[in-house]
Amino acid sequence: MAQTNDPLFDLLGFEVDPEETELLNINARRLKQLPEELCKFRRLKSLIADANELDVFPSIMFNFQLLEMLNLRANKIPRIPEGIRELCQLRYVFMDDNGLTELPDTLCDLPNMEWLQVSGNKLTSLPGQIGKLKTLSRLNASRNQIVRLPPSIVELSQLQQFLLQVNKLASLPASFGEAFNEEVTIRLHDNPLIQPPIEVCEQGILAIR
């Protein structure tokens, strides 16, 4: 595509009105950083920027105060900044396959979070205050290196799906089985579980009790 004098057109391949745009898809463009021109998208609610080459969480995100959905899957981002709490409208965060080594405690200050997906990273734990995410219904932390779960995990009363397969868990927190009803989908296979044994865990939440 020939270059123009419009950086946004060069990026997207079509004309767009930033003042009216609520969803922006810029995935798989080999971007190493997000262009400053995106600051114009003040009304943005959904940003899809997966499968790029971002190696740091883009600071430009903090211009999007209305953002509800953030998809940064399959980049090279090692950490989420503590300032994530400023994006208080966030409901869906997808950060799979990035190389994350930890999640900030401030992630637990997001009052509207419903879906958190951080599979395929290098996490060894989840935030200690994760139980504060009272609206969280889906949590996927599979394919990491998590060795233990924080006690507050049992406070996720709205959880419907909890994926923890392929980690390094040897035990589950006390009252884990009692904390969730039988309708919750929990995946724990490929963990070296001793208490309770993996054979019990694979029978479902009722068996864990």
Side-chain angles (χ1 to χ4, degrees):
M1 181 186 301
Q3 294 287 302
T4 71
N5 291 323
D6 184 349
L8 285 177
F9 184 89
D10 292 338
L11 174 65
L12 303 174
F14 54 86
E15 293 184 357
V16 62
D17 183 353
E19 295 298 325
E20 299 296 329
T21 301
E22 294 187 356
L23 186 153
L24 185 63
N25 186 343
I26 50 173
N27 75 318
R29 283 170 166 79
R30 298 183 179 178
L31 296 174
K32 297 184 182 297
Q33 60 184 18
L34 298 187
E36 289 298 319
E37 286 77 16
L38 296 188
C39 287
K40 300 174 182 178
F41 290 80
R42 298 287 182 178
R43 297 172 60 87
L44 201 64
K45 291 185 178 181
S46 298
L47 177 62
I48 303 170
D50 60 309
N52 279 294
E53 299 178 9
L54 304 173
D55 59 5
V56 66
F57 190 90
S59 60
I60 198 173
M61 292 296 176
F62 300 110
N63 289 280
F64 309 141
Q65 292 298 306
L66 301 179
L67 198 65
E68 296 179 2
M69 190 278 284
L70 175 61
N71 182 348
L72 290 174
R73 287 172 170 149
N75 278 284
K76 304 174 183 178
I77 300 171
R79 61 181 296 272
I80 298 173
E82 293 188 0
I84 191 73
R85 64 167 25 134
E86 297 175 23
L87 299 177
C88 57
Q89 301 301 319
L90 273 177
R91 297 169 61 193
Y92 313 102
V93 174
F94 305 103
M95 292 285 296
D96 316 69
D97 302 306
N98 264 286
L100 292 171
T101 56
E102 63 179 354
L103 300 177
D105 288 334
T106 53
L107 190 68
C108 305
D109 294 330
L110 296 171
N112 302 301
M113 181 73 75
E114 296 180 26
W115 192 335
L116 176 60
Q117 196 142 319
V118 289
S119 64
N121 284 293
K122 300 178 181 178
L123 302 174
T124 57
S125 64
L126 296 174
Q129 300 299 312
I130 198 167
K132 292 167 61 178
L133 295 175
K134 299 302 183 183
T135 58
L136 191 67
S137 62
R138 297 190 180 196
L139 174 56
N140 185 348
S142 62
R143 297 186 297 115
N144 277 286
Q145 301 170 25
I146 297 172
V147 296
R148 66 180 60 87
L149 297 176
S152 72
I153 201 79
V154 300
E155 299 171 20
L156 296 175
S157 58
Q158 299 301 311
L159 207 60
Q160 298 175 10
Q161 184 184 75
F162 192 9
L163 306 184
L164 280 167
Q165 66 267 29
V166 196
N167 274 288
K168 297 184 177 181
L169 293 170
S171 64
L172 299 178
S175 74
F176 184 88
E178 290 77 16
F180 307 109
N181 64 52
E182 59 269 24
E183 296 178 0
V184 176
T185 298
I186 296 179
R187 296 284 182 265
L188 288 162
H189 61 79
D190 291 308
N191 277 284
L193 279 163
I194 299 172
Q195 183 60 40
I198 188 60
E199 295 82 6
V200 172
C201 293
E202 288 178 344
Q203 296 176 39
I205 197 69
L206 291 178
I208 296 174
R209 293 175 183 173

